[in-house]
């Protein structure tokens, strides 16, 4: 099995990066932060027209007809650009919620906290909530991320969205990988530009070690996400070997755990490389850290991932059902 992206997949990733660079570069990001605009409806429709949300829908249903391996590449680029909005939920709703595939509807989900708690993101911007018949009312609560508004809905979601859980966790992990890779880029670039004692700070061993650790975390997480996407695609196509289908949830949990750690720790280390400048509002590093904190609580939390992995290891060790 070849885990290297094909030429078509590389072209897809490059196309999405070019689109986001042109429509959601740093100036647009800072304008959104300063203006408090979490969802750009025009950009949302452009993403829909580009096939972002309908990527995995069959062509017969008006979709692009691709799979999870392609989806994680696209979401990685969205994470790299720090694109806000309920991207995962709208993608998952394509084909079931009118307008989701085309980007004319914004769909959110009860995906925060263990098993979906009472908090929901982007409720004020959403046209629908995944699995819910009606748009519930909620009370705004303060969010750590300026571009992820939160609402508290008493009682949480009524619908069971467990069928979306694994895919939602994997796509969120891809977003986290994109953020981890971007903070690595920011740290390396700043270490090459900032000078102390007559030389770039990147020449100092302590800074080299920080950047090297960031690279390792990001690449390990990216590999785990890609591998989980390929395995999940094989299972979805019905080509899995005996027992492989049961391992998918464990692989996705591991990928989410590694991606969350990479995104959070890389943002923290990037702050360390930036020094005092990294803690200022003008620097973008804090935005990546805050987004990573929020995404770490979406679909599968660290505690849930650890429990899933423990169950999978127990099942494998005993050769049967997990105890």
């Amino acid at each position: 099995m070849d885990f290297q992206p094909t030429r078509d997949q590389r072209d897809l990733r490059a196309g999405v990066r070019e689109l986001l660079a042109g429509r959601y570069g740093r100036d647009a990001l800072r304008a959104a932060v300063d203006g408090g605009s979490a969802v750009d409806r025009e950009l949302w429709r452009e993403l829909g027209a580009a096939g972002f949300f309908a990527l995995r829908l069959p062509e017969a249903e008006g979709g692009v007809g691709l799979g999870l391996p392609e989806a994680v590449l696209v979401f990685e680029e969205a994470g790299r650009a720090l694109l806000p909005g309920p991207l995962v939920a709208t993608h998952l709703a394509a084909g079931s919620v009118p307008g989701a595939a085309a980007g004319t509807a914004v769909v959110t989900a009860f995906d925060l906290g263990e098993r979906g708690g009472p908090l929901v993101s982007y409720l004020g911007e959403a046209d629908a909530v995944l699995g819910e018949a009606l748009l519930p009312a909620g009370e705004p609560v303060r969010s750590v991320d300026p571009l992820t508004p939160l609402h508290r809905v008493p009682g949480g979601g009524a619908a069971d969205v467990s069928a979306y859980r694994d895919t939602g966790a994997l796509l969120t992990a891809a977003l986290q990988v994109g953020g981890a890779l971007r903070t690595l880029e920011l740290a390396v670039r700043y270490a090459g530009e900032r000078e102390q004692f007559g030389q770039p700070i990147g020449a100092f061993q302590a800074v080299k070690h920080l950047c090297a650790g960031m690279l390792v975390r990001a690449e390990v997480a990216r590999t785990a996400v890609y591998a989980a996407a390929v395995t999940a695609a094989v299972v979805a196509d019905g080509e899995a070997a005996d027992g492989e289908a049961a391992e998918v949830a464990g692989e996705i949990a591991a990928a989410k755990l590694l991606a969350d750690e990479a995104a959070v720790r890389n943002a923290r280390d990037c702050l360390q490389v930036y020094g005092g400048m990294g803690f200022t509002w003008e620097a973008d590093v804090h935005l990546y850290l805050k987004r990573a904190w929020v995404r770490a609580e979406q679909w599968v939390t660290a505690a849930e991932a650890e429990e899933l992995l423990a169950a999978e290891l127990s099942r494998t060790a005993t050769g049967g059902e997990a105890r």
Side-chain angles (χ1 to χ4, degrees), residues 1 29 39 42 56 68 75 155 201 211 230 246 283 286 313:
M1 184 177 293
L29 170 63
V39 176
E42 184 179 347
R56 296 186 304 117
L68 268 176
F75 274 79
I201 62 172
C211 293
V230 171
H286 69 96
L313 288 171

Side-chain angles (χ1 to χ4, degrees), residues 61-220:
E61 298 178 22
V64 182
L66 299 178
L68 268 176
E70 289 77 22
V72 297
L73 296 176
V74 167
F75 274 79
E76 180 185 318
E77 291 303 316
R80 183 180 180 275
L82 207 63
L83 185 65
L87 299 163
V88 172
T90 304
H91 179 92
L92 294 174
S96 61
V97 176
T104 56
V106 176
V107 183
T108 187
F110 284 95
D111 57 8
L112 283 162
E114 296 188 11
R115 300 293 178 182
L119 292 180
V120 60
S121 59
Y122 304 104
L123 184 62
E125 292 78 7
D127 300 302
V129 177
L130 190 64
E132 301 288 336
L134 300 173
L135 195 67
E139 176 188 354
V141 297
R142 187 173 181 179
S143 173
V144 66
D145 179 12
L147 291 180
T148 307
L150 299 176
H151 284 73
R152 178 178 286 109
V153 177
D160 180 12
V161 293
S162 58
Y164 301 104
R165 188 177 182 223
D166 285 347
T167 304
L170 185 59
L171 296 178
T172 304
L175 291 171
Q176 292 282 58
V177 167
L181 289 166
R182 181 56 179 160
T183 49
L184 167 63
E185 293 171 5
L186 292 173
V188 170
R189 185 177 66 189
Y190 188 80
E193 296 172 350
R194 180 76 166 92
E195 292 190 0
Q196 279 287 359
F197 308 108
Q199 59 182 324
I201 62 172
F204 300 112
Q205 190 175 54
V207 177
K208 290 179 181 179
H209 284 178
L210 281 175
C211 293
M214 293 172 70
L215 173 63
V216 170
R217 281 193 295 269
E219 289 298 336
V220 168

